[in-house]
Amino acid sequence: MSVRMSESIITLVLFALLVPVAVLPWVHWQYRRHGRLRGWSAVVATAGALYGCALVAFTLFPLPDVTGEFCAGRPLRDYWQPHPFASLDDIAAAGYSPTSPAFLQVALNVALFVPLGFLLRYRFRRGVVVATAVGLLVSLAVETTQGTAVFGLYPCPYRIADVDDLMTNTAGTLVGWLLGRRVGPLLPAAVPAPVADTAPPGLLRRGLAFAGDLLTMALVEFACRAVLVLLGEGTGTPGLTDVAVSDWFGAALGVLVPVLATVVVPLLRADRATPGQIAFHLALTDARTGGRAPARAVVLRFLVWWLPVLLLISTGHSGIVFFAAVVVGLAARSRADRRSLPGLVSTTDTTTARALSHVSAATGP
């Protein structure tokens, strides 16, 4: 397998890990700003979020292993290419072949920024001057990140900062803007008209919030483990990375993170929402009064639902969790009030955060 192909595969894998980090804040912003996430506008917004993640991924990844002799003979000044149109000389040296690496590199730099220009025109309604300036600034940020070895986080650079990339990226933004000007009027509206978002949330939205909780807990545990490894490598302390400490730390994370996400965070919030519910702009209410759910409801929901779920996941039975979630969802669908088993036990309803805020405003403090 070629080096370029290997780097592409690594980039795609790391991109897949980067997407979840951006998805939940993006979902929250969409619901908070527009009150909904569906239809063509959701497709456009999703495409924009994925493009942003891809741009970050292709800027940073694959991250090199800088141990050993990697940084030998890699002075920072050698990784800045300040001569304009040097890429044209490379293309000419390759005989102007459209399949040469030099030509493909220029074409890729143009194509990579076409979606940015298109979105700036189609979704954000920016003019050509603003769009071109944004493309230039984003490209400058990319090149600066690469040329400074991720702002000094790495001891030596591993990508070249090229002035020609600034020009080709900016040209790609302009091409995308022109494309958006031509094609945009033929497409549906990219930004939805805001809605109140006070209707009872659907089971799909509630199910995705549950998945968001699981994702959040997994990401937090992964981040904590990564910090543990980095501390061990950075300080040279064997105890931070030995098997015994790693097992103890992992077991502690497996308890603390779920409790924080499903008990502590809801108890600290007026809407009693877990991280996944926060992302999807959901809230818990008292089924009898319609107001704020009591603290005991959070504990009951943890005991009835989250504790069994976490025990199944920790013992390697994630498939049963998925099956149980489907069964609970179907049971809720069969009820007129759409209340699930945890909601029945804890006497709570799942509603939208905006609906709860309206109730709170009407009833007062």
Side-chain angles (χ1 to χ4, degrees):
M1 183 180 292
S2 66
V3 174
R4 183 176 295 274
M5 182 62 70
S6 299
E7 291 184 351
S8 299
I9 292 174
I10 294 173
T11 299
L12 289 174
V13 171
L14 294 174
F15 168 70
L17 295 176
L18 177 66
V19 168
V21 178
V23 162
L24 294 181
W26 167 79
V27 168
H28 178 76
W29 183 79
Q30 290 293 312
Y31 274 112
R32 187 177 183 87
R33 184 176 179 85
H34 304 297
R36 59 180 173 178
L37 182 62
R38 60 178 182 270
W40 175 252
S41 60
V43 173
V44 175
T46 302
L50 293 178
Y51 171 72
C53 292
L55 199 59
V56 173
F58 281 97
T59 298
L60 299 178
F61 303 144
L63 299 174
D65 181 5
V66 295
T67 58
E69 301 297 324
F70 181 84
C71 289
R74 282 176 174 260
L76 192 64
R77 63 179 180 274
D78 290 348
Y79 280 77
W80 286 81
Q81 197 294 104
H83 305 293
F85 306 109
S87 57
L88 296 181
D89 296 335
D90 295 336
I91 293 174
Y96 298 99
S97 172
T99 60
S100 66
F103 180 87
L104 293 177
Q105 181 67 33
V106 171
L108 178 62
N109 285 333
V110 173
L112 186 61
F113 273 64
V114 168
L116 176 61
F118 184 87
L119 289 170
L120 286 170
R121 169 59 183 172
Y122 173 54
R123 189 174 194 278
F124 298 101
R125 300 297 180 185
R126 301 303 180 191
V128 63
V129 175
V130 172
T132 303
V134 169
L136 176 62
L137 291 175
V138 171
S139 179
L140 181 61
V142 169
E143 298 305 312
T144 303
T145 301
Q146 294 175 343
T148 59
V150 194
F151 301 101
L153 291 178
Y154 278 82
C156 60
Y158 60 96
R159 294 281 186 88
I160 294 177
D162 194 336
V163 68
D164 281 7
D165 291 352
L166 285 176
M167 295 186 289
T168 52
N169 292 159
T170 305
T173 305
L174 180 58
V175 171
W177 187 91
L178 294 172
L179 185 63
R181 184 181 182 185
R182 290 289 185 181
V183 179
L186 306 178
L187 299 175
V191 179
V195 297
D197 193 31
T198 55
L203 291 175
L204 177 61
R205 182 172 172 181
R206 290 159 57 183
L208 290 174
F210 168 65
D213 282 322
L214 297 180
L215 176 62
T216 300
M217 288 185 276
L219 289 174
V220 171
E221 290 190 31
F222 174 81
C224 292
R225 292 176 187 273
V227 170
L228 175 69
V229 173
L230 291 175
L231 286 175
E233 293 181 350
T235 62
T237 306
L240 288 173
T241 55
D242 63 27
V243 174
V245 173
S246 180
D247 290 345
W248 174 87
F249 189 76
L253 282 178
V255 175
L256 290 176
V257 172
V259 171
L260 284 172
T262 61
V263 178
V264 176
V265 170
L267 288 177
L268 293 175
R269 294 181 58 87
D271 57 12
R272 304 302 191 201
T274 59
Q277 291 173 326
I278 295 170
F280 283 85
H281 224 231
L282 299 178
L284 290 183
T285 60
D286 191 319
R288 294 164 296 188
T289 65
R292 177 180 177 178
R296 64 174 180 79
V298 174
V299 178
L300 285 174
R301 290 176 70 91
F302 175 80
L303 294 175
V304 172
W305 177 246
W306 280 111
L307 184 58
V309 164
L310 297 171
L311 289 175
L312 286 170
I313 292 176
S314 65
T315 55
H317 295 90
S318 301
I320 298 178
V321 171
F322 175 77
F323 177 75
V326 172
V327 171
V328 169
L330 292 175
R333 185 177 177 81
S334 67
R335 295 179 54 88
D337 57 8
R338 296 293 193 264
R339 290 173 65 193
S340 63
L341 174 63
L344 292 171
V345 173
S346 60
T347 321
T348 57
D349 278 330
T350 301
T351 184
T352 65
R354 195 159 295 171
L356 177 61
S357 65
H358 286 182
V359 171
S360 300
T363 58

